[in-house]
Amino acid sequence: MLETTIALNNGLEIPALGLGVLQSEGSAATSAVSTALQTGYRLIDTAAAYFNEREVGQGIRESGVDRADVFLTTKLWMTDYGFDNALRAFEISTSRLEVDYLDLYLLHWPWPANWSQTIAAYKAAERLLEEGRVRAIGVANFKPDHLRALVRETDVVPAVNQVEVHPNFQQPVQVALHKELGITTQAWSPIGGVYSWAGENGSVPPLQNELIQAIAEARGKTPAQVILRWHLQERRSAIPKSVNPQRIAENFDVFDFELTAEDMAAIAKLDSGRRGAIDPDDATPEVIDLTIDEA
Ligand code: NDP
């Protein structure tokens, strides 16, 4: 039977499947989080840069599920990199969420042009880990060179690297490096949602892929369920976003069937090697121009 959690490199168990909340706004974010937790989800993935930490916190409280039973992730935005800035931003995020600790704190993007501040921010995360304010720390969007440099220059190997992974962009080299370093891969845009906000750029979104649709029909499941099951059978964490109660339930209903070795091999062949989103080397704060609120 497929395990519903994955052991991180510090022994902490992370639920394999969680809810993402990018672009979930206002009361829709609150009710998505609350509905998901009532459906059985135990992992919620937000970020300071999603501007919904307050609503996410409220959703957790409204769900009736104990805070202690929820695995809560938020992320530090680049303009808050640097040691003191990162510690301050952590306090702001946790106060917006109304929690006194996080389960996972991630650096949202590498910032190669400001590497010393990136490292200083990670060292602040190490401090928070030491103090018990976070239970695990990690990164997002770190390419192999960024990861190798980070591991060289800091003490705690990231527990997680959250990166773009879906059938069209499977990142085998990146994922193999995670395995080598003991880092859990967490897939963002796991069902290919990136094409809805970054443009399709000539790609067929995975949910519309004929092979995925044929497998879904053969297994009596939906394309989204097939893709999420593929992530889980690859022992990857995945955080599909939805604000729709039916789709929130659909995306969690993936533990009652199995993809065959042939299904898995066929999906592996869909990798185009082409990102849907920006290359992390180009994702500077000037390019992704956001102002994080001070409170
Ligand atoms: P997803 O692959 O999760 O797709 C989400 C999109 O698919 C939404 O438009 C949603 O619409 C729709 N959808 C959800 N379920 C279904 C379904 N069963 N059938 C058909 N359509 C469905 O993409 P995201 O880009 O949102 O990524 C997921 C999460 O990953 C984010 O929410 C965020 O938490 C994280 N992320 C992290 C990034 C990073 O830099 N670290 C970057 C991007 C994402 P609807 O809501 O209407 O159901």
Side-chain angles (χ1 to χ4, degrees):
M1 221 184 70
L2 189 70
E3 306 258 346
T4 57
T5 61
I6 295 172
L8 300 178
N9 59 12
N10 65 356
L12 190 66
E13 298 274 331
I14 184 172
L17 191 58
L19 180 79
V21 298
L22 170 67
Q23 295 173 331
S24 304
E25 291 174 5
S27 60
T30 301
S31 66
V33 167
S34 171
T35 302
L37 291 172
Q38 286 166 0
T39 304
Y41 288 71
R42 288 295 177 267
L43 162 62
I44 307 292
D45 179 85
T46 186
Y50 301 167
F51 303 104
N52 59 13
E53 288 175 312
R54 280 192 192 83
E55 291 80 4
V56 165
Q58 194 185 335
I60 294 172
R61 292 188 298 281
E62 283 183 10
S63 72
V65 173
D66 264 4
R67 161 71 187 98
D69 295 330
V70 179
F71 191 106
L72 179 59
T73 304
T74 195
K75 312 186 192 86
L76 176 69
W77 190 244
M78 288 175 276
T79 48
D80 285 320
Y81 285 2
F83 193 85
D84 292 339
N85 284 348
L87 292 181
R88 202 193 62 236
F90 171 85
E91 295 303 337
I92 294 173
S93 277
T94 47
S95 78
R96 282 196 209 109
L97 287 157
E98 293 188 42
V99 296
D100 49 17
Y101 72 94
L102 291 174
D103 296 279
L104 179 62
Y105 200 35
L106 302 178
L107 267 59
H108 207 141
W109 293 89
W111 190 2
N114 204 357
W115 188 248
S116 64
Q117 296 298 86
T118 308
I119 292 293
Y122 193 80
K123 288 188 184 223
E126 289 181 326
R127 165 79 65 84
L128 292 166
L129 183 68
E130 217 174 271
E131 291 173 347
R133 303 294 307 282
V134 299
R135 298 173 78 210
I137 60 174
V139 293
N141 300 303
F142 273 49
K143 290 166 73 175
D145 285 352
H146 309 135
L147 265 187
R148 285 201 191 86
L150 179 78
V151 166
R152 230 180 6 251
E153 295 172 46
T154 60
D155 294 328
V156 178
V157 174
V160 168
N161 189 14
Q162 184 184 105
V163 292
E164 180 182 346
V165 184
H166 46 74
N168 290 3
F169 187 57
Q170 302 186 18
Q171 301 229 54
V173 172
Q174 178 86 48
V175 169
L177 178 66
H178 293 172
K179 203 165 184 190
E180 182 190 320
L181 296 175
I183 298 171
T184 293
T185 303
Q186 188 168 57
W188 65 248
S189 276
I191 58 174
V194 61
Y195 298 112
S196 69
W197 50 263
E200 292 184 11
N201 193 20
S203 309
V204 176
L207 292 178
Q208 289 160 38
N209 181 283
E210 284 179 8
L211 176 103
I212 304 266
Q213 290 180 342
I215 295 174
E217 203 170 314
R219 306 280 159 254
K221 300 299 271 187
T222 67
Q225 289 170 329
V226 165
I227 297 171
L228 292 169
R229 181 74 198 190
W230 165 72
H231 286 291
L232 299 182
Q233 287 185 211
E234 292 283 356
R235 300 305 293 141
R236 219 173 8 245
S237 176
I239 43 170
K241 173 264 178 185
S242 183
V243 289
N244 174 293
Q246 281 77 35
R247 290 193 283 274
I248 289 172
E250 175 186 329
N251 294 346
F252 202 68
D253 182 17
V254 294
F255 295 101
D256 64 346
F257 78 112
E258 200 161 346
L259 296 174
T260 63
E262 291 74 34
D263 295 338
M264 296 293 287
I267 297 172
K269 289 203 187 110
L270 298 179
D271 186 15
S272 70
R274 212 147 56 91
R275 295 176 189 279
I278 192 168
D279 186 306
D281 277 318
D282 302 326
T284 63
E286 292 81 36
V287 172
I288 314 179
D289 184 16
L290 299 175
T291 306
I292 306 294
D293 309 335
E294 280 297 311

